[in-house]
Structure formats: C-alpha cells, structure tokens
Amino acid sequence: MANKLLSEMGLPKSIANIFAARNLITAKDVFSLTEFELMELLDVDLSVVTSAVSHISEITCPPYQTALSLLEQRGQNENMAGHLPTYLKGLDNALCGGIPFGVVTELVGPAGIGKTQFCLKLSLLASLPSSYGGLDGSVIYIDTESKFSSRRMIEIGFNSFPEVFHTEGMAQEMAGRILVLRPTSLSEFTDSLHKIKVSLFQHGVKLLIIDSMAALLSGDGVQGPQRQHSLGWHISFIKSVAEFSRIPVVVTNQVRSQSRDETSHYSFQEQSRVDTPEAATKLDSHLVAALGIHWSHAVSIRLIFESRSGQRFIKLAKSPLSPPLAFPFNITSSGISLLNDDGMEMQGPNIHAISCQGHNNVINFGSEMMH
C-alpha cells in the first residue's frame, strides 16, 4: 500500500500538482518526510500539509479490525480451506475438524510408536469416497524408510470401513489412488518434490505424506552449514506445496537425545536440578524432536507420539486452535484408537518433552541439527 500512487488518491488538484512537481510520486515518498519537511519542500502552510497527509494515510493504511471480525474471518477461511478428519473424535474436536488443509502437520516420536499407522489411516481417509466422509482423491506417500505396508493399510480399511471395503473392487480402487514414492537419497527426494507440484492437479491429489524427513537428512552424508541450507530449502518448498495446493501435508519426524548442556538453555529448568545424578537421569530419559528449531517453527501443527508408564499418548503439543492436550491411545486392527476423547491438558516443559519408555530406536543427530 505504501507504493500506491498519489495521483490515484483523489487529492485536490492544486496539492497533487505540487507533489508531482517535487517528485513525490507515492505514499512512501510522503511518509519518508516529516510534516515540517514537507511544508518546507512544498512551500505551503502546515494546515495544507496536515490535511494532505491525513487523506493519504486514510487511503493507504488498512482499516482496523475487531477481535470479533478476525475470529469470524478465520472461521470463514477454515471452512474454505477444510480439514481431513482423523476419525479420532477428541483429536478432531481439538483441531476443529481434523488435519487442516494448506499447512504442514508434523508427527514426531520414536520408531515403532504408531506414526506410520496414523499415516496409513490418513491415506485411506483421503482416498475414501466423499459419501463416506473421505476426500475422494489421490494420495502421494513419500516413503523414505520403506515402512509403507499395503497389506496393513487394507487390513485397517476392512476393519474401519467394512461397508466400503466389502464392496467388490473398492479395496483395489482405493489402493490404486495411493501413489508411493521411495527416494533413496536426498537428491532423489528433492527431484520427487519438484515433480509433485505437477502431479497435484494431474492426479487429483488430496493429501501429501512424507514419512520421514529426518531419515533422509541423517543418512545423506551432508553435514554442518550445507545440511542446514538444504533443510531450509526443503522447509520452504514443503510449505509452499501446502499453501499452493490447499491440501493437508503431513510429515513425520524422528527423535534425538536431549543433552544435559541443551537442557540448561531453558529458563524453566533450575541449575540445581541438573547437577544431581537423579536429575541428570531424569532429563536424559527424555527426547526432543529432530531437525531443530527452524523446522519446528515451520510446522503449524505438532503431534507428539510417546510412551509413558506402559501407555501410549498422542500429544497435541502445538496448535493455533487448541491448548496442549494428551490423548491415550492403543493400536488395534483398525489402526489407532483413542481410549478417551476428553484429553488431558498439559503445562510446563512436559509439553515438548518426549517420553520413550520401552523404545530404544533413538536417532542421534549432530549439533548442527539442533538449532
């Protein structure tokens, strides 16, 4: 708006001609000077300058909005954008409908905790006919760790939607809508991303899943600043795909150990707690998301999968629409099932800490992946 031309603002002809004669062409040119400087430059009275600046400001500056109007506008945008329901009632309620379109949703947790199970169910839901609550579209599933299982996906489908999957040919039709890519290197993954933008409309893609991003970066051999540069490019590209296509983009992430030095960086942890062996053991038993802080800022929704005291939990750790909540869950023949829909509200450092009782598959990244 600052580059809006003064000639298009309906100023009185007399003052408009003076602005043009002094080479003041845009609103930015006017706002770069004080009113007294303008009075001297234009050789007019202060009242004339004040009136002109007020008129330009009124046209250039966006109108104010109330909190109520912003809330109503957000609701309209969300309705237009849409959601992919997870069929986990409590989680869908907290997310105002499910996995949102147009943003990146992250699933983070140790290996074997249920992230891929969750992704398989989402793939089915996106390919499910709209008459049954699905998106009736195709899915691009980038499987970097060869964990995608067609057999398990069909099993989940038969147990979750028997009325659909017992229809002759329906299982084959839905499975045919899920396009699986298996890049073996970061360069192959990058090539896949470039092709995806073309495929989105050609194949009617309604969901993009990347399972997982961290595995590619940890196994590529690229280190230090070069790795950070690569991660930055991929973050930007994945976000642009989500925004450009207005589809849900789901990316899984691994975990890494949280060092004692790192924990001391957080103000909510007292030094005395870290200095004792008991405290060190307690802190070292927790994990954090891999890929670092720049990646965490790029995702709009973060779901943490963890295990505590023999029970698995999905934690809604980051969302602009909900307080942090934890839902206990089991993995059944029909996929992930919540044990209750209410969710437990969380506070303090436990929101982002990842407990991993009973899981030993921890990926450790160098310090360059931690910031």
Side-chain angles (χ1 to χ4, degrees), residues 69-83:
S69 66
L70 288 172
L71 183 62
E72 292 172 344
Q73 181 180 338
R74 181 166 195 162
Q76 292 172 357
N77 292 339
E78 287 169 0
N79 290 334
M80 291 176 61
H83 297 81

Side-chain angles (χ1 to χ4, degrees), residues 88-147:
L88 302 174
K89 184 179 177 181
L91 185 59
D92 284 343
N93 288 341
L95 292 173
C96 298
I99 306 298
F101 292 7
V103 299
V104 178
T105 296
E106 178 195 37
L107 315 179
V108 58
I113 195 69
K115 303 187 301 295
T116 298
Q117 302 278 336
F118 192 85
C119 290
L120 292 175
K121 185 68 170 285
L122 290 180
S123 299
L124 284 173
L125 293 169
S127 61
L128 197 70
S130 54
S131 57
Y132 290 93
L135 300 182
D136 199 19
S138 297
V139 177
I140 293 180
Y141 196 117
I142 301 181
D143 179 25
T144 68
E145 298 182 82
S146 298
K147 290 184 177 181

